[in-house]
Amino acid sequence: MQPKFISIVGAGGKTTALRALARALTSRRVLATTTTHMFPVPPPDCCTFLMDPTPEELLLQLTLPGAVCAGRQAEGGKLCALSPALLTQAAAASDFVLCEADGAHRLPLKLHRADEPVLAPQTDLCLIIAGLSALGKPVRDVVHRYALCPDWAVNPEQLVGIPELLYCVRETAAACGLPPEKLRVLLNQADTPTLSAMAEPAVQALRADGLDCRIGSLHSDPNLLYRWIFSEA
């Protein structure tokens, strides 16, 4: 069965993933939104952008094919979450919902506070993104909230290798609180054959954990998520 409500968490390409799925689903009625904060996704990736919509405005737009990006106005030009009641209404009126469910300050990896991520109860599938551009760099430069790991708080110069990448992905999977069959992990930013080869041990380790994990590059292959989530569902 195809998932209807897809939450996107982690770091290293969440908004890129949302944009790619919105474009791929252009013939369907799609809501693109957030439960935390995100920058708007304007046309052409989404057909319509609604800031602080009334229920009538949002539900009317969701009668039409194409993605509608909607949320409440927040600081810095960002959107924040629709009210729970409106999200429930809009999700019921949509074929699919794409929802950013945490923030990473544009870094390729992140750790989570106790109140993160913010998964909507309607979530059918949670897509975890992790950015391979973090490999070889100090955790302080590439991991949002790196100090939540006690060892990294003491040693912020620790370089990110496969163990550190796995730590972030596994921490994210645990923070989601969902069974493995509702999780998928994309090790994104595999923009060179070298990065792909470096990440292969992480894929094998995560698959051994029971997680459906792949390596890819949303930059060079923006349709990979659509094929993975929908064409192969």
Side-chain angles (χ1 to χ4, degrees), residues 183-205:
L183 300 174
R184 296 204 185 182
V185 180
L186 175 66
L187 303 183
N188 189 35
Q189 301 173 341
D191 298 323
T192 67
T194 299
L195 276 175
S196 294
M198 288 175 63
E200 188 59 38
V203 173
Q204 298 307 317

Side-chain angles (χ1 to χ4, degrees), residues 3-8 13-32 41 44-46 66-67 96-100 125-129 184 186 218 221-231:
K4 174 173 179 171
F5 197 115
I6 301 172
S7 293
I8 307 172
K14 289 195 306 294
T15 301
T16 302
L18 187 149
R19 288 174 180 266
L21 286 171
R23 289 195 301 271
L25 295 167
T26 189
S27 65
R28 310 300 296 273
R29 299 171 302 156
V30 178
L31 172 65
V41 181
D45 295 319
C46 287
F96 299 102
V97 179
L98 309 174
C99 184
E100 279 201 28
L125 180 72
C126 186
L127 176 63
I128 298 172
I129 307 289
R184 296 204 185 182
L186 175 66
L218 292 171
D221 186 7
N223 289 321
L224 75 89
L225 288 176
Y226 179 81
R227 295 196 306 271
W228 185 16
I229 294 172
F230 295 102
S231 299

Side-chain angles (χ1 to χ4, degrees), residues 91-117:
S94 306
D95 294 321
F96 299 102
V97 179
L98 309 174
C99 184
E100 279 201 28
D102 66 6
H105 285 207
R106 298 181 180 272
L107 295 176
L109 295 173
K110 80 163 289 180
L111 298 178
H112 294 80
R113 298 180 314 213
D115 60 345
E116 300 175 302

Side-chain angles (χ1 to χ4, degrees), residues 54-68:
T54 65
E56 293 76 16
E57 289 173 326
L58 181 53
L59 296 176
L60 176 60
Q61 287 299 318
L62 289 171
T63 64
L64 306 173
V68 178

